[in-house]
Amino acid sequence: SELVISDKALLSDSVFKAVSLQASNWLKVSEVPPVDLRTYLTHMKTQGYTVIGLEQTSSSTDLTKYTFPADGKVVLLLGIESEGIPATLLHTVDACVEIPQFGVLRSLNVHVSGAILVW
């Protein structure tokens, strides 16, 4: 497992430290600046990974109905808070999944969505 973030300086941020409980001590953390993210995702695909975006699109699959690759080689792409995954990156993903929700507001915070997805 590996956590890829946009800037390793986040690891020193007091708020990040408080919510992560120093998970970076046990999990490999890599830095990929946003401008390099498409290149990174394309590279991971050449290494046999399936790139799955967590986003509500017209072609998203309900998370409860999606079958993840049996080999477990998956890159999970989460969006930007309140904005989602940029359109320029949506073209890079192999599949989009969404968390089924009910009601008028269909939105969850990115960290909550990510936690549900990896569970």
Side-chain angles (χ1 to χ4, degrees), residues 78-85 107-113:
L78 305 179
I80 301 166
E81 198 74 54
S82 301
E83 298 176 27
I85 297 174
S107 179
L108 295 169
N109 293 89
V110 172
H111 70 282
V112 172
S113 298

Side-chain angles (χ1 to χ4, degrees), residues 59-78:
S59 60
S60 292
T61 302
D62 181 320
L63 177 59
T64 63
K65 295 178 173 67
Y66 183 76
T67 302
F68 284 85
D71 64 8
K73 293 181 75 171
V74 172
V75 173
L76 301 175
L77 179 63
L78 305 179

Side-chain angles (χ1 to χ4, degrees), residues 6-7 10 17 24 41 52 55 63 90 96 99 108 117:
S6 62
D7 186 351
L10 291 170
K17 285 181 177 181
S24 59
L41 295 173
I52 301 171
E55 185 64 84
L63 177 59
L90 278 177
C96 273
I99 298 167
L108 295 169
L117 183 60

